[in-house]
Amino acid sequence: MTRRQAARAEHAWDRTIRIWDAYFAVAWAATLAFVLGAEHAGSPVRVVAALLLVPLVPWYTAVGRGLIQQDTPDESQAVRYLAGAMALFLPSAVLVGETRLMAFALIPQCFMTLRMRRALIAVTVISLAPVVGWALLWHPQLPDLFANSLFAVVTLVFSVAVGSWIIRIIEQSAERAELIAELDASRHEVARLSAAHGALAERERMAREIHDTLAQGFTSLLMLGQAVEAELDHDLPQARRHLALMNRTARQNLAEARALVAGGAPADLAGASLPDALRRLVDRHGAATLEVTGPVRPLPAGAEVVALRSCQEGLTNARKHAGSSVPVAIRLSYTDEALTVAVHDDGRGFDPAAACAGYGLAGLRARAAEAGGTATVRSTPGDGTTVTVRLPLGGGPL
């Protein structure tokens, strides 16, 4: 536990209990000295008053000190403690007026251990009862009675004001402690959710990468294997060309797998420009063509990866749904504002609104959105399909 955590784990009055101990000891010692040196009472009276003050020390040490340290003191125990303390204090204060100095040590304890209503009752008794008892016992002259009564009233008003402030401080401290605990719990929950969200995002990213690379490569291998099997009996040269293409596709898949594990750029983009990577992709497909317009220039890696994956997805869908022999045209366009890649095939097309299943198109749109771009699919049954991805390059709005 750090020092800051330790400070949070305890309240202000827990950290200052030794100050309260010292305050009680000083008040008690000063009161005892004033009682023993009082001039208006005889020695037997002073001794009796002093002896009544002595048990206050062990009583405070054994019971009162523990109550002060509690977050929520047991009020019934606090009532018993203060009743015992007043049973010793009040007779001594009635016998010798100087004993009333001890009230400054007892009054704060009332507010720290009792609820406001009971605390006010106890403070009133501690402040006024000694003066009433002293007046009834000794019948003092009017000026002395007036001075002592005024002192008792001022003490009561001061005690109520300061005690109310102490209670508000304690309540605010407790509320802040609860708030800090809630904030700590919320922080841990946010950290847990953030970690879970990060894991989910990474899983989705890896799913897209695998779908756009390894899964598509394996699909191509299966389709090429079927083509080779059909060509072995009547077109051996074409079968050999397809076997060579299978070999290149398998090697490319292996390179993509290594790039995924290493967390690097796609294999086609390693040491090559985006148009060069797309030309490699077109060469492996066979029935595809590439057109590049605009000034070719290096772009952020994120934009080039999205463009490459979009072409891979478009070619895979064309081969899967339209057939490997259907012509596919790829158009890569560079402008100051955006990079646009469009993949068009002349296949049988489909209804995009009915294409709810599958991961490819959803992953394509998600990948484009992460790069701040858009992905659109236009297709009509019998009229081919066009997949267009547009990525901003910081030069203007899409």
Side-chain angles (χ1 to χ4, degrees):
M1 179 180 291
T2 65
R3 182 178 298 177
R4 183 176 181 180
Q5 291 172 333
R8 285 184 175 183
E10 55 186 5
H11 296 291
W13 52 89
D14 294 329
R15 299 196 300 272
T16 56
I17 187 62
R18 292 184 180 179
I19 296 178
W20 284 111
D21 292 344
Y23 173 74
F24 183 89
V26 170
W28 179 86
T31 302
L32 185 63
F34 276 111
V35 168
L36 292 176
E39 298 179 355
H40 303 289
S43 297
V45 174
R46 295 198 303 271
V47 171
V48 171
L51 291 176
L52 289 172
L53 292 177
V54 172
L56 280 175
V57 175
W59 186 240
Y60 166 79
T61 304
V63 183
R65 191 173 187 271
L67 286 171
I68 294 175
Q69 290 181 286
Q70 294 178 13
D71 291 342
T72 305
D74 183 351
E75 195 160 18
S76 60
Q77 185 180 5
V79 169
R80 290 193 294 270
Y81 164 71
L82 291 172
M86 284 190 284
L88 297 171
F89 163 74
L90 293 177
S92 178
V94 169
L95 292 175
V96 179
E98 284 77 2
T99 308
R100 284 173 235 155
L101 181 63
M102 191 65 194
F104 289 100
L106 297 178
I107 288 175
Q109 298 179 29
C110 298
F111 289 106
M112 296 172 70
T113 58
L114 298 174
R115 295 182 181 179
M116 178 61 77
R117 183 177 179 181
R118 290 187 174 181
L120 292 177
I121 294 174
V123 169
T124 301
V125 172
I126 292 174
S127 300
L128 301 182
V131 177
V132 174
W134 173 77
L136 293 175
L137 179 63
W138 298 107
H139 303 288
Q141 296 182 358
L142 187 59
D144 292 337
L145 178 60
F146 176 77
N148 281 270
S149 299
L150 182 61
F151 178 80
V153 172
V154 171
T155 301
L156 176 61
V157 173
F158 175 80
S159 300
V160 170
V162 174
S164 301
W165 176 75
I166 291 174
I167 286 184
R168 284 198 299 270
I169 293 297
I170 293 175
E171 290 175 348
Q172 289 179 359
S173 181
E175 291 173 359
R176 289 173 182 170
E178 292 178 1
L179 180 59
I180 290 173
E182 292 175 0
L183 289 176
D184 284 341
S186 299
R187 184 182 62 184
H188 292 313
E189 182 66 12
V190 168
R192 185 188 68 81
L193 293 176
S194 178
H197 176 73
L200 178 61
E202 179 63 16
R203 185 162 62 247
E204 290 179 351
R205 187 191 71 82
M206 289 300 298
R208 287 198 302 268
E209 294 290 338
I210 292 173
H211 176 274
D212 293 344
T213 56
L214 303 182
Q216 293 178 1
F218 290 135
T219 300
S220 298
L221 289 173
L222 288 174
M223 296 180 68
L224 289 170
Q226 293 172 357
V228 169
E229 186 177 0
E231 295 163 351
L232 282 176
D233 295 334
H234 60 84
D235 194 350
L236 193 57
Q238 182 67 16
R240 288 195 178 109
R241 285 193 291 271
H242 280 160
L243 284 174
L245 183 57
M246 289 178 64
N247 184 47
R248 292 199 303 271
T249 302
R251 290 179 182 276
Q252 183 65 24
N253 243 29
L254 180 59
E256 291 287 1
R258 289 171 175 168
L260 283 177
V261 171
D268 281 327
L269 285 174
S273 65
L274 178 59
D276 291 338
L278 294 185
R279 290 188 183 98
R280 295 177 187 174
L281 192 63
V282 167
D283 291 340
R284 291 197 299 271
H285 188 274
T289 59
L290 173 65
E291 179 186 1
V292 181
T293 62
V296 178
R297 62 188 186 277
L299 298 176
E304 293 190 339
V305 170
V306 173
L308 175 63
R309 297 304 189 212
S310 301
C311 288
Q312 289 175 326
E313 176 65 24
L315 288 174
T316 299
N317 286 338
R319 178 181 293 168
K320 181 178 179 181
H321 299 291
S324 58
S325 60
V326 173
V328 180
I330 299 176
R331 181 183 178 88
L332 181 65
S333 176
Y334 288 84
T335 65
D336 293 337
E337 295 80 17
L339 173 69
T340 305
V341 58
V343 182
H344 173 77
D345 68 74
D346 294 327
R348 58 180 179 268
F350 66 99
D351 182 6
C356 299
Y359 187 84
L361 294 180
L364 179 67
R365 293 188 178 97
R367 189 187 291 277
E370 287 179 359
T374 59
T376 58
V377 179
R378 295 180 180 178
S379 182
T380 303
D383 195 24
T385 302
T386 302
V387 177
T388 304
V389 175
R390 193 176 186 195
L391 306 172
L393 299 180
L398 287 179

